[in-house]
Amino acid sequence: MKTKSILAALAIAAMAALPQAASAKDISLLNVSYDPTRELYKEINVAFAKQWKDKTGDTVTIQQSHGGSGKQARSVIDGLKADVVTLALAYDVDSLYDNGKLIPLEWQKRLPQNAAPYTSTIVFLVRKGNPWKIKDWDDLVKPGISVITPNPKTSGGARWNYLAAWAYALHKNNNDDAKAKDFVKKLFKNVPVLDTGARGSTTTFAQRGLGDVLIAWENEAYLSLAEFGADKFDVIVPTESILAEPTVSIVDKVVDSKGTRQVAEAYLNFLYTPEAQKIIAKNFYRPRDAAASSAATVKLPELTLFTIDEQFGGWRKAQKTHFDDGGTFDDIYKP
Amino acid sequence: MMTPKGMQIRRLDIDAEEPHTLGPGRARTSRPALTVVPSQVVSEMSPESDKPTGHAKPRRSTWRTPSALPGFGPTMGFTLLYLGILVLLPLAALIIKASGGTWAQFWATATAPRALAAYQLSFGAALIAAVVNLVFGVLVAWVLVRYEFPFKRLVDGLVDLPFALPTAVAGIALATLYSPKGWIGQFLDQFGIKAAYTETGVTLALIFIGLPFVVRTVQPVLQDIDPELEEAAASLGAKPWQTFVRVIGPAIMPAALTGFALAFARAVGEYGSVIFIAGNIPMKSEIAPLLIIIKLEQYDYRGAAVIGVVMLAASFLLLLGINLIQRWARTRQGEI
């Protein structure tokens, strides 16, 4: 009887001590990201965990959450305990400051290159052989061409698409805003369905067989080739497009309460290392480190790229002018 | 949402209203089922539906009918608490959120052209879908009750599938079928009919998810109608259509209307299945629930709540209207 109770006491003591011993070594991070980065961060996480283990001896597990960029930002604002956010556009990260002060205003200055460790751009995916001879943005507004793009109100990728088309029209028409609006209006006349996210549009185009051309993330376009077979689609690169900069940040309020600031910062800094940049190139993103491009399986073509800052004066302004209620996107659907 | 069991109880509630037409023999079978429990389930489905009966026929004094079962106090108390937490609390939060701005702001958001177009599509398509379901639901119920055929059980089970299927699966399946390259869509396309990504697609999805409601409410009532009634009508010289319109019609009318109201209410708020087959083009194929999601994406919580309140109010008024018709149908039936 006595030995039994001693044993029980020992067992309880052991159980109480166990998690404590483990928590000194086991760290868990949550990375809240946007839709097409699933494959990318899966690889990055493995590489970072290995590097962190070698350096500190601690085991770090990184959980991923994916979805439409805006929706993901809202989850974090509403209380999802994300240590880091890696979203499709800076405006969605800005919203973490605007709604709840989860991060400082100057978050984009904390990391190199506008806190965007990789970039991408917007290209076209067409049916094999390019039957409609689509070469550039001009071809998308021709009558009879059916264009697939997601809804800019709900999709981050779609906002890049919209702004890329807008900027192209500006350049063609001596920066005439009215003409640019007319161009985009014509383009959206050709859109038969607005999916809520980038993946939804890819499915509509690739699996439902709808539309003649899909406006897509470059990485998503090449992923579709890898996924559905290069014999089904061609990637068409327009003469110019937008430099899409998906941005990353730690979430200060969360890492400070969880005590994970150090490892979260190391995770984001890791994205800029040659090792991570190679993984980035392999997943069809454009690495910041030119040397890493050699790791890419396809050579991403050269084209004129303009940034959101030089063309639209930053995301806050672009969002207000184009996508908020009463913006140009609402206008082009006015009867 | 609701279970077939819930509807079973609902049905008994309707039955209990019918002894006038169907004679004393029928009343015996259905009376004991009227306990406090059904009112809980019923009011959860359509909060106002059990009130009119209470006030409509004071002579029957359904309010605190002496019951063989004890426990009115605790069960009633639990019912109120349960409904308060489950239904009223979220609705109150919605209304508080919507009343954040001025009345002018509320009105401007609620009546923006894009919002009006979305209401029109959501309520219009839901109404059409509910009418289609009313007609064909009664037909399906009729076949399932009146005829014997092989695999009847299986067919009977099929009716419930739209309940069980995750709505996203239903939406994707319908979009695959009706898209211009889909199995059905490619034939429709040849005739110039566009089903998927138009208002037609929205209506199709709503018809699909609303099917079980009318069938499952009408079926048990039809089952309880004695075939002898039809024979009696025939022997008194009624033609088949007269039998249907004057004898069977009035008997199943309240149940059919309940099914209609349920199918309509479900369709108005449906998001998951519709979103895949609606084109989501503003002013054309954008449903009101999507507009709410879009407002949320813009961190416009108040705007989203405003659209929500408008839809809630409109649904409530429509359901109230349907209930009034139902009450009228019941009283009329009582007088025949």
Side-chain angles (χ1 to χ4, degrees):
Chain A
M1 191 65 204
K2 208 160 206 176
T3 45
K4 238 184 198 171
S5 60
I6 288 169
L7 271 179
L10 274 176
I12 289 167
M15 268 196 281
L18 208 63
Q20 216 146 20
S23 73
K25 299 179 84 195
D26 277 334
I27 310 160
S28 164
L29 287 186
L30 175 61
N31 175 5
V32 170
S33 193
Y34 61 111
D35 230 354
T37 53
R38 278 183 188 80
E39 296 78 10
L40 169 69
Y41 279 109
K42 225 178 186 170
E43 269 188 73
I44 294 269
N45 293 345
V46 173
F48 174 72
K50 188 170 170 295
Q51 195 229 35
W52 190 254
K53 178 122 197 165
D54 292 346
K55 213 161 108 187
T56 64
D58 293 348
T59 309
V60 55
T61 330
I62 299 144
Q63 283 164 324
Q64 293 171 246
S65 161
H66 296 274
S69 191
K71 189 200 87 191
Q72 293 291 81
R74 213 177 61 240
S75 310
V76 176
I77 291 164
D78 290 344
L80 182 64
K81 295 275 175 227
D83 299 271
V84 298
V85 287
T86 53
L87 295 175
L89 40 96
Y91 180 75
D92 286 330
V93 186
D94 275 338
S95 71
L96 299 189
Y97 166 78
D98 294 344
N99 305 274
K101 306 271 180 295
L102 297 171
I103 54 171
L105 174 64
E106 300 286 307
W107 63 272
Q108 219 166 350
K109 301 231 160 74
R110 293 193 291 193
L111 286 164
Q113 276 142 331
N114 287 333
Y118 50 89
T119 63
S120 189
T121 186
I122 301 302
V123 298
F124 310 146
L125 196 67
V126 297
R127 313 257 165 227
K128 190 75 194 171
N130 195 4
W132 298 100
K133 303 277 172 284
I134 289 160
K135 290 271 171 265
D136 212 344
W137 292 97
D138 279 332
D139 298 314
L140 304 189
V141 298
K142 285 184 182 157
I145 296 290
S146 169
V147 182
I148 305 294
T149 177
N151 190 339
K153 291 266 188 184
T154 49
S155 156
R159 273 175 244 176
W160 290 113
N161 297 355
Y162 185 96
L163 294 177
W166 189 283
Y168 172 84
L170 279 182
H171 299 158
K172 271 246 151 163
N173 297 297
N174 292 321
N175 291 321
D176 186 338
D177 266 319
K179 285 202 172 132
K181 190 174 184 174
D182 199 46
F183 182 86
V184 174
K185 185 171 184 167
K186 269 195 214 150
L187 197 158
F188 274 84
K189 275 254 150 62
N190 284 345
V191 178
V193 46
L194 286 170
D195 284 289
T196 49
R199 268 290 150 89
S201 280
T202 309
T203 314
T204 299
F205 180 77
Q207 287 186 319
R208 305 241 189 295
L210 215 72
D212 305 311
V213 52
L214 170 76
I215 313 179
W217 287 104
E218 186 178 46
N219 56 286
E220 186 84 348
Y222 283 102
L223 188 72
S224 305
L225 287 191
E227 196 79 12
F228 299 105
D231 56 330
K232 289 214 174 67
F233 308 109
D234 285 327
V235 175
I236 301 290
V237 181
T239 51
E240 60 168 2
S241 192
I242 200 160
L243 180 74
E245 298 179 292
T247 45
V248 303
S249 175
I250 58 166
V251 184
D252 296 67
K253 272 218 170 135
V254 175
V255 291
D256 287 343
S257 75
K258 277 175 71 180
T260 47
R261 179 180 278 273
Q262 198 197 358
V263 57
E265 276 174 354
Y267 178 67
L268 293 186
N269 280 317
F270 176 74
L271 295 172
Y272 291 89
T273 62
E275 189 187 356
Q277 291 281 308
K278 271 186 195 155
I279 298 175
I280 283 164
K282 227 175 81 191
N283 282 280
F284 315 113
Y285 293 84
R286 290 174 181 245
R288 289 293 196 179
D289 178 4
S293 310
S294 60
T297 45
V298 281
K299 196 179 174 311
L300 299 180
E302 298 290 325
L303 70 160
T304 317
L305 293 172
F306 42 81
T307 68
I308 181 113
D309 291 335
E310 62 192 36
Q311 194 66 58
F312 295 96
W315 261 113
R316 278 173 195 276
K317 203 168 156 229
Q319 175 75 24
K320 203 166 170 356
T321 326
H322 296 286
F323 307 120
D324 274 353
D325 276 354
T328 61
F329 180 73
D330 283 348
D331 278 351
I332 65 172
Y333 276 107
K334 280 226 176 98
Chain B
M1 234 207 99
M2 10 173 337
T3 58
K5 200 175 149 213
M7 270 186 285
Q8 191 81 2
I9 293 160
R10 184 83 179 86
R11 185 260 299 181
L12 291 172
D13 183 32
I14 296 160
D15 272 0
E17 303 287 329
E18 288 162 12
H20 301 285
T21 27
L22 300 170
R26 297 239 332 109
R28 238 187 296 128
T29 55
S30 50
R31 195 49 82 84
L34 247 192
T35 64
V36 184
V37 188
S39 80
Q40 178 198 331
V41 178
V42 168
S43 23
E44 190 192 330
M45 297 175 331
S46 44
E48 70 292 283
S49 68
D50 54 347
K51 257 185 247 150
T53 45
H55 297 287
K57 299 174 182 173
R59 57 202 147 93
R60 290 185 58 203
S61 91
T62 37
W63 179 249
R64 287 238 57 177
T65 313
S67 168
L69 296 174
F72 174 78
T75 46
M76 188 66 193
F78 176 77
T79 304
L80 291 179
L81 182 76
Y82 188 75
L83 288 182
I85 292 174
L86 216 63
V87 180
L88 289 183
L89 206 61
L91 291 189
L94 177 72
I95 288 165
I96 288 168
K97 199 85 196 175
S99 56
T102 64
W103 175 244
Q105 279 172 326
F106 182 95
W107 191 247
T109 314
T111 60
R114 203 167 151 206
L116 292 180
Y119 304 142
Q120 201 186 344
L121 175 62
S122 272
F123 285 102
L127 208 61
I128 295 172
V131 169
V132 171
N133 275 324
L134 179 65
V135 175
F136 291 97
V138 169
L139 188 100
V140 170
W142 178 263
V143 168
L144 287 176
V145 170
R146 277 294 187 263
Y147 305 110
E148 288 303 324
F149 51 90
F151 304 112
K152 185 173 155 179
R153 287 258 155 241
L154 193 74
V155 175
D156 198 37
L158 278 181
V159 171
D160 283 328
L161 271 191
F163 270 151
L165 208 61
T167 51
V169 176
I172 291 170
L174 288 171
T176 311
L177 277 180
Y178 288 101
S179 76
K181 298 275 159 72
W183 291 353
I184 301 179
Q186 55 181 324
F187 296 111
L188 294 178
D189 202 40
Q190 284 170 3
F191 300 105
I193 304 169
K194 288 200 177 1
Y197 313 117
T198 62
E199 302 89 322
T200 321
V202 175
T203 315
L204 274 171
L206 297 182
I207 291 173
F208 176 81
I209 52 130
L211 167 76
F213 291 98
V214 175
V215 180
R216 288 295 179 242
T217 43
V218 170
Q219 211 177 0
V221 178
L222 263 182
Q223 230 147 23
D224 285 351
I225 297 179
D226 212 319
E228 282 172 22
L229 273 177
E230 290 156 47
E231 286 160 22
S235 72
L236 290 171
K239 297 189 174 64
W241 65 268
Q242 280 175 319
T243 313
F244 187 79
V245 172
R246 317 270 322 231
V247 178
I248 297 164
I252 61 169
M253 181 71 116
L257 279 174
T258 304
F260 174 81
L262 289 173
F264 174 77
R266 166 81 195 265
V268 165
E270 178 66 14
Y271 179 76
S273 62
V274 183
I275 209 67
F276 293 96
I277 197 168
N280 305 334
I281 305 280
M283 312 291 300
K284 258 163 65 191
S285 51
E286 186 176 66
I287 52 168
L290 175 68
L291 199 58
I292 294 177
I293 300 275
I294 285 175
K295 298 240 177 244
L296 288 178
E297 296 285 328
Q298 295 167 338
Y299 310 105
D300 181 7
Y301 294 86
R302 192 193 56 83
V306 168
I307 308 280
V309 165
V310 170
M311 291 194 66
L312 187 73
S315 304
F316 184 77
L317 286 177
L318 281 163
L319 289 176
L320 197 69
I322 293 169
N323 266 284
L324 287 177
I325 299 174
Q326 211 176 354
R327 205 179 93 188
W328 170 81
R330 280 185 198 172
T331 6
R332 201 171 152 268
Q333 187 199 339
E335 286 159 9
I336 287 173

